[in-house]
Structures are given as C-alpha cells and as structure tokens.
Amino acid sequence: MPVTVSAVVPVYNEEGAAVQVAREIATEFSKRFGSGFEILFIDDASTDDTHGRLVAAQADIPGLRVLRHQNNVGKSGAMRTGFFAARGDVVVTLDGDGQNPAADAARMVEILKGAPADVGMVAGQRRNRQDSASKKWASRWANGIRKAMLNDKADDTGCGLKALRRDVFLRLPYFDQMHRYLPSLVTREGFEILFEPVDDRLRTTGHSKYTNIGRLAVALSDLPGVMWLNRRLRQPGKVSESGH
C-alpha cells in the first residue's frame, strides 16, 4: 500500500518517551490508514540513548524510520529534514515528549485530506494545557503579540500538532524557529488554515528544551523578519499555461 501519510517527530534527548510515542502513533495510524503511513523520527544529535532505542524499536514498529543529525540544529531544522524525507503527501508533526495524543494527529490528517485544496494546514490548539502558570503566561504574551502583528488568527503556535500538505511546507522560506510562524507563512503563500482543539498531556519524562525567557526573546527577535517577509511577497494570482 503506498504511503500517503507521514508523521514527523523531531526529538532531542527523549530516550524516556520516544519509543512509546512511536508505538502510539503506529497503533492509532494503523486503525485509520492501514499500512499507508510512515513514522519519521528526526534525532537532532541527541546525547542520550534516544537514537539507539528508536533503532532497536524498528524491528516491531511498522513504518518507523529513524534519521539522525550530525549537528544539533533545533526543532525547525529537524522538521525540515523530516518534510524533505517524507513520502506522504500529507505530513503531521508531533512533539517527541508524549504530550501530543496520536489520536488527535490522525484526526487532523483526516480533516486535511477531506478539506478543499486551498486549505494548506490544520493547526492544533491546546485545551487544558498541562504547563506551569509562568509558562502559560509567557505563551499567552508571545502569542498575543505575534497574533496582533501578523494577523495570523492563531492562538497557540507552540502546539506541536500540525498537519500540512507536504508541497505547501516545501514552498515556505526556511529559517531557525520558523515552526513558531507556520500559520503566518502558510497564509503568506495564499492557503487557508483550519484550527482544531487538541488535548495536551503532562510530560512524564525528560524536560522542556525551552525557557520562558528564550521563548520571549525569539518572539521579539524574529517577528520583524517575518513581517518583512510578508511585505515583500508579490502573488501572481492564478497561473495558466497556453500551448506546449
């Protein structure tokens, strides 16, 4: 059965969660997509045994592929590697810490597959977030500023669950931390976005790779660049071909 759906999971030092995440994705996706899916874990130069445990699990997890970076490049770089390697025309991203339910990922894929061609992405928006009060505050502050400046209609760009058409993602300009601006970048290319409520689970292993100060610094430093990108785009409208 040809692969039509790819799950891309960037991981860095997630030896305690990665294999369980892969098993959950395989279980949920096999129910909905048969054997027409693949699971790509992008190990972003982990220093623990994340890579070894994933490789060992390939023997009994269908469709599991493990790609490893020589150098750590961050979440956006790992996502980019996954989209380039993906064979499905629809790609859904999940975080590797176990906080994103695979059932929500599969549901978002089905929504995108059934949506009109001008819908480029289905973005998850977390309900009942399992984070500290300070982390929630920093997220609301950064999301509020970004939403006001970019008018991207997204309340939660930090959610790791996003389903995109692969060809849409490959059109987007790449830069570090671009994953925080996917709604604006997808809209920039002329595509619509659907927002779906998703569940958020408590992290049980490892620790977050981000700090509140780090999130705010990125929000302030990258926002002017994304605004510049949006201003500099000129859309040609409908493209038609005549003759051969």
Side-chain angles (χ1 to χ4, degrees):
M1 188 174 182
V3 170
T4 61
V5 178
S6 300
V8 167
V9 188
V11 284
Y12 176 68
N13 288 352
E14 294 288 359
E15 63 180 8
V19 172
Q20 180 54 39
V21 170
R23 293 190 192 284
E24 183 185 348
I25 295 171
T27 298
E28 292 295 334
F29 279 39
S30 62
K31 293 177 185 177
R32 303 190 188 222
F33 311 121
S35 60
F37 70 92
E38 61 180 357
I39 308 167
L40 290 81
F41 271 73
I42 316 301
D43 177 17
D44 192 26
S46 293
T47 57
D48 65 0
D49 195 33
T50 298
H51 181 257
R53 295 188 183 188
L54 284 169
V55 170
Q58 285 183 288
D60 61 356
I61 299 181
L64 177 58
R65 299 169 60 190
V66 183
L67 289 73
R68 188 178 193 182
H69 285 171
Q70 179 180 2
N71 302 314
N72 180 275
V73 296
K75 183 175 181 177
S76 289
M79 284 176 57
R80 184 171 183 248
T81 294
F83 272 85
F84 276 129
R87 293 177 290 176
D89 56 356
V90 171
V91 180
V92 61
T93 64
L94 303 87
D95 288 339
D97 55 16
Q99 291 190 264
N100 300 147
D104 281 338
R107 177 171 57 85
M108 290 167 63
V109 167
E110 290 184 326
I111 291 171
L112 184 57
K113 279 180 166 288
D118 65 345
V119 175
M121 178 170 77
V122 178
Q125 297 196 141
R126 291 167 289 185
R127 53 194 171 195
N128 302 318
R129 285 186 60 178
Q130 302 299 308
D131 288 321
S132 66
S134 63
K135 189 173 180 180
K136 290 178 182 177
W137 176 85
S139 180
R140 282 196 297 268
W141 190 86
N143 275 309
I145 292 177
R146 188 215 66 259
K147 184 178 179 181
M149 300 301 291
L150 298 179
N151 192 30
D152 60 11
K153 300 180 176 61
D155 292 324
D156 181 19
T157 60
C159 180
L161 279 168
K162 293 180 175 70
L164 295 99
R165 302 191 194 277
R166 180 176 179 269
D167 62 338
V168 170
F169 181 89
L170 296 181
R171 296 186 188 198
L172 307 182
Y174 170 74
F175 54 92
D176 189 26
Q177 303 294 331
M178 69 172 288
H179 65 275
R180 301 177 186 275
Y181 297 96
L182 284 174
S184 179
L185 297 174
V186 170
T187 301
R188 174 181 182 269
E189 293 295 327
F191 291 92
E192 298 293 327
I193 299 172
L194 302 179
F195 296 96
E196 277 295 312
V198 297
D199 289 327
D200 184 50
R201 299 185 296 210
L202 187 68
R203 173 190 275 273
T204 58
T205 68
H207 57 86
S208 175
K209 310 307 184 293
Y210 304 101
T211 64
N212 290 338
I213 296 298
R215 286 186 181 90
L216 297 181
V218 167
L220 292 174
S221 64
D222 288 348
L223 187 56
V226 178
M227 294 171 67
W228 179 87
L229 281 172
N230 289 346
R231 287 197 305 269
R232 299 303 295 168
L233 179 69
R234 299 175 65 185
Q235 287 284 10
K238 183 178 179 181
V239 178
S240 58
E241 180 179 3
S242 302
H244 293 286

